[in-house]
mmCIF file of all heavy atoms in Angstrom:
data_model
loop_
_atom_site.group_PDB
_atom_site.id
_atom_site.type_symbol
_atom_site.label_atom_id
_atom_site.label_comp_id
_atom_site.label_asym_id
_atom_site.label_seq_id
_atom_site.Cartn_x
_atom_site.Cartn_y
_atom_site.Cartn_z
ATOM 1 N N ARG C 11 105.986 117.764 82.814
ATOM 2 C CA ARG C 11 105.692 116.395 83.270
ATOM 3 C C ARG C 11 106.361 115.320 82.414
ATOM 4 O O ARG C 11 106.855 114.314 82.930
ATOM 5 C CB ARG C 11 104.183 116.160 83.348
ATOM 6 C CG ARG C 11 103.442 116.399 82.041
ATOM 7 C CD ARG C 11 101.936 116.235 82.247
ATOM 8 N NE ARG C 11 101.644 114.958 82.845
ATOM 9 C CZ ARG C 11 100.661 114.755 83.738
ATOM 10 N NH1 ARG C 11 99.863 115.726 84.084
ATOM 11 N NH2 ARG C 11 100.472 113.550 84.234
ATOM 12 N N SER C 33 96.788 110.915 82.245
ATOM 13 C CA SER C 33 98.021 111.533 81.756
ATOM 14 C C SER C 33 99.305 110.810 82.167
ATOM 15 O O SER C 33 100.253 110.753 81.389
ATOM 16 C CB SER C 33 98.097 112.984 82.227
ATOM 17 O OG SER C 33 96.880 113.644 81.949
ATOM 18 N N GLY C 78 98.530 110.482 89.075
ATOM 19 C CA GLY C 78 98.170 111.895 89.120
ATOM 20 C C GLY C 78 97.650 112.310 90.484
ATOM 21 O O GLY C 78 97.272 111.470 91.305
ATOM 22 N N ASP C 79 97.624 113.617 90.708
ATOM 23 C CA ASP C 79 97.126 114.140 91.991
ATOM 24 C C ASP C 79 95.646 113.808 92.181
ATOM 25 O O ASP C 79 95.215 113.421 93.275
ATOM 26 C CB ASP C 79 97.382 115.643 92.119
ATOM 27 C CG ASP C 79 96.996 116.440 90.875
ATOM 28 O OD1 ASP C 79 97.313 115.995 89.751
ATOM 29 O OD2 ASP C 79 96.374 117.507 91.017
ATOM 30 N N GLY C 80 94.869 113.910 91.098
ATOM 31 C CA GLY C 80 93.449 113.589 91.207
ATOM 32 C C GLY C 80 93.247 112.120 91.525
ATOM 33 O O GLY C 80 92.409 111.757 92.358
ATOM 34 N N GLU C 81 94.027 111.285 90.877
ATOM 35 C CA GLU C 81 93.919 109.836 91.093
ATOM 36 C C GLU C 81 94.262 109.501 92.543
ATOM 37 O O GLU C 81 93.559 108.733 93.205
ATOM 38 C CB GLU C 81 94.856 109.115 90.119
ATOM 39 C CG GLU C 81 94.474 107.691 89.790
ATOM 40 C CD GLU C 81 94.925 106.654 90.789
ATOM 41 O OE1 GLU C 81 95.833 106.952 91.610
ATOM 42 O OE2 GLU C 81 94.390 105.544 90.787
ATOM 43 N N ILE C 105 102.516 112.903 90.038
ATOM 44 C CA ILE C 105 102.796 113.984 89.095
ATOM 45 C C ILE C 105 101.680 115.006 89.296
ATOM 46 O O ILE C 105 100.557 114.823 88.819
ATOM 47 C CB ILE C 105 102.841 113.441 87.642
ATOM 48 C CG1 ILE C 105 103.901 112.328 87.527
ATOM 49 C CG2 ILE C 105 103.110 114.570 86.649
ATOM 50 C CD1 ILE C 105 105.331 112.739 87.857
ATOM 51 N N ASP C 106 102.021 116.049 90.057
ATOM 52 C CA ASP C 106 100.995 116.945 90.604
ATOM 53 C C ASP C 106 100.890 118.236 89.791
ATOM 54 O O ASP C 106 101.671 119.172 89.968
ATOM 55 C CB ASP C 106 101.343 117.249 92.071
ATOM 56 C CG ASP C 106 100.285 118.109 92.750
ATOM 57 O OD1 ASP C 106 99.278 118.458 92.104
ATOM 58 O OD2 ASP C 106 100.480 118.432 93.944
ATOM 59 N N ASN C 107 99.928 118.278 88.884
ATOM 60 C CA ASN C 107 99.664 119.488 88.095
ATOM 61 C C ASN C 107 98.536 120.304 88.715
ATOM 62 O O ASN C 107 98.011 121.224 88.089
ATOM 63 C CB ASN C 107 99.342 119.139 86.635
ATOM 64 C CG ASN C 107 98.128 118.226 86.518
ATOM 65 O OD1 ASN C 107 97.550 117.836 87.520
ATOM 66 N ND2 ASN C 107 97.756 117.889 85.298
ATOM 67 N N GLU C 108 98.155 119.938 89.918
ATOM 68 C CA GLU C 108 97.106 120.640 90.670
ATOM 69 C C GLU C 108 95.796 120.704 89.889
ATOM 70 O O GLU C 108 94.976 121.583 90.078
ATOM 71 C CB GLU C 108 97.585 122.040 91.094
ATOM 72 C CG GLU C 108 98.881 121.962 91.925
ATOM 73 C CD GLU C 108 99.304 123.280 92.564
ATOM 74 O OE1 GLU C 108 98.836 124.346 92.092
ATOM 75 O OE2 GLU C 108 100.089 123.235 93.521
ATOM 76 N N SER C 109 95.626 119.739 88.978
ATOM 77 C CA SER C 109 94.397 119.710 88.183
ATOM 78 C C SER C 109 94.042 118.303 87.727
ATOM 79 O O SER C 109 94.884 117.415 87.702
ATOM 80 C CB SER C 109 94.485 120.586 86.927
ATOM 81 O OG SER C 109 95.708 121.180 86.775
ATOM 82 N N TYR C 110 92.763 118.174 87.355
ATOM 83 C CA TYR C 110 92.299 116.985 86.661
ATOM 84 C C TYR C 110 92.564 117.228 85.176
ATOM 85 O O TYR C 110 91.681 117.678 84.439
ATOM 86 C CB TYR C 110 90.798 116.782 86.906
ATOM 87 C CG TYR C 110 90.439 116.484 88.354
ATOM 88 C CD1 TYR C 110 89.901 117.469 89.179
ATOM 89 C CD2 TYR C 110 90.615 115.204 88.886
ATOM 90 C CE1 TYR C 110 89.553 117.194 90.490
ATOM 91 C CE2 TYR C 110 90.274 114.918 90.194
ATOM 92 C CZ TYR C 110 89.746 115.910 90.993
ATOM 93 O OH TYR C 110 89.398 115.638 92.291
ATOM 94 N N GLY C 111 93.791 116.925 84.745
ATOM 95 C CA GLY C 111 94.199 117.266 83.384
ATOM 96 C C GLY C 111 93.371 116.562 82.335
ATOM 97 O O GLY C 111 92.942 117.156 81.342
ATOM 98 N N GLU C 112 93.124 115.322 82.576
ATOM 99 C CA GLU C 112 92.486 114.465 81.590
ATOM 100 C C GLU C 112 91.053 114.887 81.278
ATOM 101 O O GLU C 112 90.527 114.599 80.213
ATOM 102 C CB GLU C 112 92.521 113.035 82.143
ATOM 103 C CG GLU C 112 92.247 111.941 81.164
ATOM 104 C CD GLU C 112 93.180 111.938 79.965
ATOM 105 O OE1 GLU C 112 94.322 112.404 80.082
ATOM 106 O OE2 GLU C 112 92.728 111.477 78.907
ATOM 107 N N MET C 115 91.201 120.006 82.923
ATOM 108 C CA MET C 115 92.058 120.884 83.738
ATOM 109 C C MET C 115 91.296 121.624 84.855
ATOM 110 O O MET C 115 91.623 122.746 85.220
ATOM 111 C CB MET C 115 92.762 121.893 82.804
ATOM 112 C CG MET C 115 94.266 122.068 83.007
ATOM 113 S SD MET C 115 95.236 120.589 83.271
ATOM 114 C CE MET C 115 96.125 120.462 81.709
ATOM 115 N N GLN C 116 90.310 120.952 85.434
ATOM 116 C CA GLN C 116 89.652 121.525 86.624
ATOM 117 C C GLN C 116 90.608 121.421 87.825
ATOM 118 O O GLN C 116 91.406 120.502 87.904
ATOM 119 C CB GLN C 116 88.364 120.745 86.936
ATOM 120 C CG GLN C 116 87.339 120.717 85.806
ATOM 121 C CD GLN C 116 87.518 119.557 84.839
ATOM 122 O OE1 GLN C 116 88.549 118.887 84.826
ATOM 123 N NE2 GLN C 116 86.521 119.327 83.994
ATOM 124 N N THR C 118 92.257 120.506 91.278
ATOM 125 C CA THR C 118 92.136 119.482 92.321
ATOM 126 C C THR C 118 92.364 120.161 93.676
ATOM 127 O O THR C 118 92.725 121.345 93.740
ATOM 128 C CB THR C 118 93.173 118.351 92.178
ATOM 129 O OG1 THR C 118 94.478 118.907 92.357
ATOM 130 C CG2 THR C 118 93.075 117.666 90.832
ATOM 131 N N THR C 120 94.807 119.884 95.576
ATOM 132 C CA THR C 120 96.203 120.324 95.808
ATOM 133 C C THR C 120 96.379 121.780 95.374
ATOM 134 O O THR C 120 97.212 122.491 95.908
ATOM 135 C CB THR C 120 97.237 119.430 95.081
ATOM 136 O OG1 THR C 120 97.068 119.541 93.672
ATOM 137 C CG2 THR C 120 97.112 117.975 95.518
HETATM 138 MG MG1 LIG Y 2 96.467 116.079 87.867
#
Side-chain angles (χ1 to χ4, degrees):
Chain C
R11 57 184 306 144
S33 311
D79 47 316
E81 205 277 343
I105 303 300
D106 183 1
N107 59 359
E108 303 189 340
S109 2
Y110 295 102
E112 195 57 28
M115 228 43 108
Q116 302 89 346
T118 64
T120 64

